[in-house]
Amino acid sequence: METIPNIASYKDRVPERPSLLGFTTGDGKDAWWEGQQETIGRVLEGLKQADVVVMSAPPGSGKTLMGAAVSRLYAPSITCTHTIALQQQYQRTAPWASTNMGKSNFECGHKERRSKYPQLAQFEDSFTVEQCDDYLDCIDPWRYGCEYFRNIGDAADNDLVVLNYAYALPIVQTKNMKSGVCVDEDHEAQPNPFRRQLAILDECHLADQAIVAASALEFWHGTLKKVGIPRPLDTATVSDWQQWTIGALNLLSKYDDDDEFDLVMRARRRALVERLGVLQKIRAEDWIIRREDSVTRIQPLWSRSVYGRFLAYYPKIILMSATPGDPNLLVERLGLEDRSARYISVPSTFPVSNRPTFYWPVVKLSARSEEDDYDRLASAVQYIADQPRIAALKGIIHTPSYKLVTKLRQHLTKDGNETIYIFHEEAAHKSSCVKLFEEADYPLILVTPSLSTGFDLPYQIGFQIIAKVPFADLGDPIVKARREYQLGADTKFGQRCYQDDALNQVVQAVGRAVRAPDDSGVSYILDENFWPLFKRSFSPDHFKETILWL
């Protein structure tokens, strides 16, 4: 993939101050950070040359502001994020932007209208998505002020709309907007206003999995039983389910929705018909089944399988992250390999001396590791924690699983050990563990499997230890199927993606330590699996320049 060079004149395409584009900076100084104007100019140049621009920008570079600026200067856009927290960050940067969420985030404002519509009496103040979908058949939500649809209407006229991936997929797939949203003077539905010239995928290293999750077809066993449709056997393949859709649709066609009083069941049947239609058209070998007690989910292995339902609507696409991974591999995952693409690597403005990453090959952990291996790992952890410059700092030990947290607790909590550890061994305890770490004014070490991404605590993390390279669990059938996947003649596609994901998580974890130019923190990688992975996989320049051997 061709790289867009850093040419000084590119900054001339960007106004002198963020406020001239309507932006508010977090530090209140109304000034671009070092390198931001040049980067914005490089992205604009990339969009002139190609359909897709992949931007690798290190932590603290201000991706939110740069992405919003490109949208402002280039074309109306949608921006997709993985979390509501990042949506809120966009809104703080661009207060005029529209942040859109699903129906479950809004309350129904039609309490006073219940008496006129007896069929609504069964519902509570907050409607579920299924109830609300059917509710639209009997009330014009735009005319009577539905907050959810007002939010969509406002977004239709806004140049910058920020959505999370889970919400973006279904709303982009809607062909026309109805019920008063984007209607012409004759109240006719107009084309979907979310299909724009530009789509920006923030946190793009998470885009593949987020799109896969949002594209899953869910078949709830209770619903199938209520509508009288026997489900396939637990041993059924995706192809078997596709054959099953013929009889299921035939049974559903016998219901008369106009005579149905139970609005919930009517909505569920309509949703089921829609999912069955999608299931009939998919390429079975690119999808997989995940069965649970109450639901069967059929999902694509890769987001490229649903390219036509989402990214195909956008002439220009920006993929940005601190850890996009191999840019060529990323565009293949998303189904963009047939479109022209350019790559931009943004240099870090944080001094390398403030953020060294030491590789100390202590032990090669695997599923076959024995107690001696864990004992060597724990001894190395304690050795680092006891060093004079480290002992007075707070630190984090990143693990890929709760199992390893427990193993480290068993080996670190020995008589005479005065180091204070917090062992995050259950998902439910995450918030309390983070709060305890954040509020502590004394040295302590948090051992956790879930803070390698989305964790921002500047000036608090003095050191970090990556105890094990976080390879995904091959005991999971979906992980195994993805790793074994062959893309055409590329027999190693799945394996390369598997390795790319593991190294990306290491880079993400290392990035937690230093969050500002004058912040500092040291990271240690103790797993022998790291170096071979590092040598054969792609990593960004802002990470490679920090690596040192011990």
Side-chain angles (χ1 to χ4, degrees):
M1 186 181 297
E2 186 177 336
T3 298
I4 299 294
N6 190 1
I7 299 176
S9 61
Y10 285 159
K11 70 180 294 184
D12 298 336
R13 305 179 183 185
V14 184
E16 292 183 1
R17 300 188 305 278
S19 63
L20 296 176
L21 292 175
F23 299 129
T24 301
T25 55
D27 56 14
K29 295 181 180 179
D30 192 21
W32 300 104
W33 293 351
E34 181 182 348
Q36 284 187 325
Q37 285 176 287
E38 291 88 346
T39 299
I40 295 167
R42 291 171 73 189
V43 174
L44 292 171
E45 177 63 25
L47 292 172
K48 286 177 60 178
Q49 297 183 18
D51 295 339
V52 180
V53 174
V54 182
M55 182 175 77
S56 174
S61 57
K63 290 184 291 295
T64 299
L65 179 59
M66 291 192 289
V70 170
S71 173
R72 194 72 154 166
L73 292 167
Y74 184 77
S77 71
I78 71 160
T79 295
C80 295
T81 73
H82 192 56
T83 62
I84 291 178
L86 191 50
Q87 283 184 277
Q88 294 168 342
Q89 184 174 315
Y90 271 95
Q91 200 157 47
R92 289 192 296 271
T93 300
W96 45 269
S98 178
T99 302
N100 291 80
M101 295 174 283
K103 294 172 184 174
S104 61
N105 293 282
F106 300 88
E107 286 195 357
C108 174
H110 297 294
K111 298 178 184 179
E112 72 281 0
R113 299 185 56 77
R114 301 270 174 86
S115 60
K116 296 184 179 181
Y117 296 90
Q119 66 267 45
L120 302 181
Q122 61 184 296
F123 300 141
E124 301 295 332
D125 292 344
S126 295
F127 280 47
T128 67
V129 172
E130 289 176 337
Q131 291 166 346
C132 192
D133 281 341
D134 206 274
Y135 168 58
L136 301 185
D137 290 342
C138 56
I139 295 179
D140 181 342
W142 184 252
R143 179 181 304 166
Y144 295 110
C146 172
E147 185 180 356
Y148 168 72
F149 276 91
R150 277 206 307 270
N151 187 241
I152 293 179
D154 292 342
D157 299 322
N158 200 309
D159 286 345
L160 175 58
V161 179
V162 186
L163 316 166
N164 61 48
Y165 288 102
Y167 180 60
L169 262 73
I171 200 167
V172 168
Q173 290 169 34
T174 302
K175 185 176 181 180
N176 295 305
M177 289 295 176
K178 58 181 181 178
S179 299
V181 181
C182 306
V183 297
D184 60 19
E185 58 184 10
D186 296 321
H187 298 283
E188 294 296 326
Q190 294 299 291
N192 190 325
F194 294 96
R195 297 179 183 177
R196 301 187 170 195
Q197 180 68 15
L198 174 66
I200 301 174
L201 273 58
D202 202 347
E203 301 176 300
C204 68
H205 62 287
L206 302 174
D208 176 51
Q209 291 283 17
I211 294 171
V212 163
S215 303
L217 304 174
E218 295 184 339
F219 296 94
W220 291 89
H221 303 161
T223 298
L224 294 177
K225 185 176 181 179
K226 286 182 179 179
V227 297
I229 300 177
R231 61 187 172 92
L233 298 174
D234 287 344
T235 56
T237 64
V238 175
S239 296
D240 294 333
W241 274 80
Q242 287 182 305
Q243 289 295 318
W244 166 82
T245 62
I246 299 172
L249 286 169
N250 182 53
L251 286 171
L252 289 170
S253 68
K254 298 177 181 179
Y255 285 94
D256 186 351
D257 280 351
D258 293 335
D259 294 335
E260 178 64 73
F261 180 81
D262 187 339
L263 299 182
V264 176
M265 284 307 302
R266 185 167 76 179
R268 287 177 178 172
R269 282 198 302 273
R270 290 180 177 178
L272 181 56
V273 169
E274 182 178 347
R275 286 193 291 272
L276 292 170
V278 174
L279 179 55
Q280 286 184 320
K281 298 175 183 177
I282 67 174
R283 189 169 179 262
E285 53 266 42
D286 291 337
W287 291 61
I288 194 168
I289 294 177
R290 182 187 288 275
R291 296 178 179 86
E292 299 176 19
D293 290 341
S294 58
V295 63
T296 297
R297 291 185 174 89
I298 302 177
Q299 67 181 58
L301 285 171
W302 306 97
S303 57
R304 60 179 293 108
S305 298
V306 292
Y307 166 78
R309 299 174 62 195
F310 183 35
L311 294 181
Y313 292 115
Y314 297 96
K316 300 288 184 176
I317 298 170
I318 298 172
L319 309 173
M320 63 182 191
S321 170
T323 56
D326 183 337
N328 293 299
L329 201 57
L330 176 63
V331 298
E332 286 183 307
R333 289 177 188 240
L334 298 172
L336 299 168
E337 67 272 16
D338 292 333
R339 299 174 65 171
S340 56
R342 297 291 184 271
Y343 177 66
I344 294 174
S345 177
V346 181
S348 176
T349 58
F350 298 175
V352 175
S353 58
N354 286 7
R355 51 188 178 92
T357 301
F358 292 104
Y359 172 54
W360 181 17
V362 171
V363 63
K364 189 172 186 178
L365 292 179
S366 70
R368 296 183 295 276
S369 293
E370 298 179 352
E371 292 304 313
D372 286 347
D373 297 318
Y374 296 113
D375 198 47
R376 290 206 310 276
L377 175 62
S379 296
V381 167
Q382 193 60 54
Y383 177 83
I384 293 171
D386 288 339
Q387 296 306 300
R389 293 187 179 182
I390 298 293
L393 303 173
K394 292 196 291 187
I396 293 179
I397 301 175
H398 296 283
T399 73
S401 66
Y402 290 108
K403 177 183 176 181
L404 186 51
V405 174
T406 300
K407 284 290 186 184
L408 285 172
R409 176 179 57 76
Q410 292 169 349
H411 288 265
L412 285 169
T413 53
K414 297 179 179 178
D415 293 341
N417 189 346
E418 297 181 356
T419 306
I420 302 174
Y421 289 97
I422 305 170
F423 296 97
H424 174 205
E425 295 185 80
E426 295 183 22
H429 296 162
K430 179 178 178 178
S431 296
S432 59
C433 289
V434 171
K435 183 178 180 181
L436 181 59
F437 180 87
E438 185 175 1
E439 294 179 353
D441 57 359
Y442 50 86
L444 81 169
I445 301 173
L446 173 58
V447 187
T448 175
S450 61
L451 295 183
S452 60
T453 62
F455 183 60
D456 190 17
L457 279 180
Y459 310 107
Q460 294 218 38
I461 305 173
F463 73 98
Q464 299 185 119
I465 297 173
I466 288 82
K468 182 182 183 301
V469 173
F471 289 105
D473 182 9
L474 288 173
D476 183 322
I478 293 180
V479 173
K480 185 174 184 292
R482 281 170 61 96
R483 187 179 183 277
E484 295 174 350
Y485 187 86
Q486 300 180 18
L487 181 60
D490 185 358
T491 60
K492 300 293 186 181
F493 175 77
Q495 183 177 335
R496 291 191 296 123
C497 289
Y498 180 76
Q499 295 170 350
D500 197 61
D501 288 341
L503 187 56
N504 264 354
Q505 289 192 57
V506 173
V507 179
Q508 279 283 340
V510 168
R512 298 308 99 197
V514 178
R515 309 298 293 177
D518 57 344
D519 194 3
S520 62
V522 58
S523 298
Y524 300 88
I525 301 173
L526 307 186
D527 188 358
E528 292 179 19
N529 290 299
F530 168 74
W531 193 252
L533 177 67
F534 176 68
K535 295 296 290 183
R536 65 176 176 260
S537 301
F538 179 93
S539 59
D541 294 338
H542 63 80
F543 175 71
K544 287 189 286 191
E545 65 189 6
T546 71
I547 300 296
L548 299 167
W549 271 73
L550 275 183

